[in-house]
Amino acid sequence: MGALLDSLAAPFDGDAAQRAALDALLQDGLPHARVEAWKYTPLRALERRSFAAAGSATVTVDAELLAAIPAPRIVFVNGRFDPTLSALAGLPAGASLRPLSQLLAAADAHAAGLLQHRYQRRDEPFARLNEVLAREGAVLRIGDGVQVAMPLQLVFVGAPAGDDQAWHLRQCIALGEGAGATVVEHHLGGGEHAHLGNAITHVEVAAGARLRHVRIQDEASRATLFARTDAVLATAADYRRIDLELGAALTRHELNVRLEGEGANLQADGVLLADGRRHVDTRLGIAHTARDTNCSLTWRGLAGQRGRAVFHGGISIAAGADGSEAALSNKNLLLSAEAEIDSQPVLEIHADEVKAAHGATVGQLDPTALFYLRSRGLPEADARRLLTAGFCREIVAGVGDTGLRAQLGAALDRALARVDA
């Protein structure tokens, strides 16, 4: 057993069942590189590190960091709810956004149910840790037919706090039948730190509901972040999301979506940016289990300097899910000779009368396009930067909300400015 698991398990204060689950995890240890799901993201260096539990001491966050994030918003700093930075007024009737800790204190049955999810596979160690250690997070619930016009902001800030710290968060985004909302999830660095964040988000989109979900991950350059999103879509549910993986030293996001209702639709697009020595890992697990379901997945990856981007796009169409359509596109750019990109599109079909396609490419900037821009007087660095930005901006170009589209574009531009193209 390594120093990492020892340090993360130290603050455990759960019941006997959770103790047994934790002991089983400690016995199994972290997966090694021969485990297929972790083949491209080894944990040996992380396994030797130790983290203290995130403390209750007040951490100062520069107000400028949140200046561009409007209300309603809920803010967590180093894994703890911060009521002074949050602004929860203005939600319509039938919509609730509260910290998990408050709901647990009020004996809320739905909140308690969030912590009953069980994770037992040896290749999901951080979900198993979250199962026994998470006591905080954001819980958003929207009632049947409720339409929330303004984007709802979930903000998670890592800030300097002395020792390297770790926190475990459990989130829930639940939309009732026919409801509609836009959720913007921010993971931000409020200064240089080397903390570890571990978060699971449960997404429930009921029949006929419509959820727009944006996730901007721009943590501090030495941070470590493990995130998992488990979503379930009911009949005719429409779930559309964009993920921008722009920050942290080591980050891994697992997006698992089950299309369980007939006619459910998923559009999940994203950008992975690995600059410097950053390691970015994204794994998609999309399961079509009902008839006439649809998923469209468009992902762009960039790796510069000595960065490494890993993308696994898994789609399965179960027996009986006839009429389903699935499409995956993963295009990647290598911006330096030392960078690395690993792409694994996987398609499993067990049904008849389906349409499915996937494709992945890894290459460099088009020399013809580069020559064209240089022939028009642009310096090489500017030409490369322009082509790289255009490659990424395809992902955000279709966002209908002009303010949100501008916010996403600005986040991309800040991240691309760090890349020595």
Side-chain angles (χ1 to χ4, degrees):
M1 184 167 56
L4 176 69
L5 291 182
D6 277 341
S7 66
L8 296 181
F12 172 77
D13 63 350
D15 57 27
Q18 290 177 321
R19 180 73 249 183
L22 180 59
D23 288 342
L25 170 61
L26 296 177
Q27 179 67 33
D28 290 341
L30 294 177
H32 47 69
R34 292 191 299 276
V35 175
E36 182 61 30
W38 294 89
K39 180 178 180 180
Y40 299 104
T41 305
L43 299 172
R44 184 173 300 174
L46 181 64
E47 192 172 21
R48 294 192 293 266
R49 294 184 59 192
S50 296
F51 295 86
S56 59
T58 301
V59 178
T60 302
V61 175
D62 188 348
E64 190 64 26
L65 183 69
L66 305 179
I69 302 177
R73 72 180 184 225
I74 187 168
V75 180
F76 298 82
V77 179
N78 290 358
R80 293 184 175 272
F81 172 59
D82 191 322
T84 63
L85 297 176
S86 301
L88 297 175
L91 286 171
S96 169
L97 178 58
R98 296 181 63 186
L100 175 61
S101 56
Q102 288 185 3
L103 295 172
L104 292 175
D108 184 282
H110 180 267
L114 284 179
L115 303 182
Q116 300 306 310
H117 291 262
R118 296 293 176 253
Y119 304 92
Q120 298 178 336
R121 297 202 321 263
R122 295 186 67 174
D123 64 355
E124 49 185 11
F126 295 97
R128 294 168 71 185
L129 276 168
N130 192 287
E131 173 189 332
V132 298
L133 297 176
R135 301 291 185 273
E136 186 60 286
V139 179
L140 170 63
R141 293 183 291 204
I142 300 176
D144 294 349
V146 175
Q147 304 296 316
V148 182
M150 71 287 281
L152 306 172
Q153 315 282 337
L154 314 183
V155 186
F156 307 93
V157 180
D163 295 337
D164 293 346
Q165 298 186 354
W167 54 83
H168 309 268
L169 296 172
R170 185 70 63 94
Q171 269 81 242
C172 178
I173 301 171
L175 272 65
E177 292 189 7
T182 297
V183 175
V184 185
E185 184 180 338
H186 307 261
H187 297 265
L188 305 174
E192 280 303 315
H193 67 82
H195 305 323
L196 183 151
N198 177 21
I200 294 178
T201 301
H202 300 282
V203 176
E204 305 163 11
V205 188
R210 176 180 179 273
L211 175 60
R212 301 295 179 262
H213 188 180
V214 171
R215 179 174 172 273
I216 304 172
Q217 189 279 111
D218 197 10
E219 254 288 7
S221 61
R222 296 189 297 125
T224 300
L225 180 62
F226 292 96
R228 173 171 174 155
T229 303
D230 292 336
V232 178
L233 311 186
T235 301
D238 188 23
Y239 182 32
R240 304 189 184 195
R241 64 177 290 145
I242 291 178
D243 287 84
L244 301 185
E245 291 283 358
L246 309 175
L250 169 62
T251 176
R252 178 182 171 104
H253 180 215
E254 301 176 19
L255 173 60
N256 305 305
V257 183
R258 292 182 58 83
L259 291 87
E260 294 186 349
E262 185 173 333
N265 178 71
L266 167 69
Q267 180 178 336
D269 305 331
V271 175
L272 312 181
L273 176 60
D275 60 306
R277 299 176 65 91
R278 295 183 55 237
H279 189 113
V280 182
D281 186 346
T282 289
R283 299 183 63 85
L284 308 184
I286 314 302
H288 294 254
T289 63
R291 290 185 56 91
D292 301 316
T293 52
N294 178 77
C295 80
S296 174
L297 315 171
T298 303
W299 287 74
R300 299 292 180 260
L302 297 96
Q305 292 108 40
R306 300 180 65 181
R308 186 176 189 183
V310 179
F311 177 82
H312 175 93
I315 302 173
S316 66
I317 302 178
D322 298 332
S324 295
E325 298 187 15
L328 166 65
S329 171
N330 176 225
K331 297 180 180 179
N332 302 278
L333 281 180
L334 285 168
L335 302 177
S336 79
E338 293 78 25
E340 183 174 346
I341 295 176
D342 301 286
S343 180
Q344 299 174 300
V346 178
L347 184 59
E348 298 181 8
I349 302 175
H350 303 280
D352 299 322
E353 300 179 9
V354 302
K355 295 180 180 179
H358 62 73
T361 61
V362 179
Q364 298 175 329
L365 289 173
D366 183 353
T368 302
L370 190 60
F371 174 80
Y372 175 83
L373 292 175
R374 293 196 66 193
S375 70
R376 295 302 186 269
L378 278 180
E380 181 176 0
D382 291 345
R384 292 172 66 86
R385 196 172 296 116
L386 184 63
L387 291 174
T388 303
F391 178 77
C392 295
R393 278 185 172 273
E394 176 186 352
I395 298 300
V396 304
V399 176
D401 185 311
T402 55
L404 184 54
R405 186 168 65 247
Q407 186 180 35
L408 290 169
L412 269 176
D413 289 343
R414 289 192 300 270
L416 290 171
R418 302 193 305 256
V419 180
D420 182 13

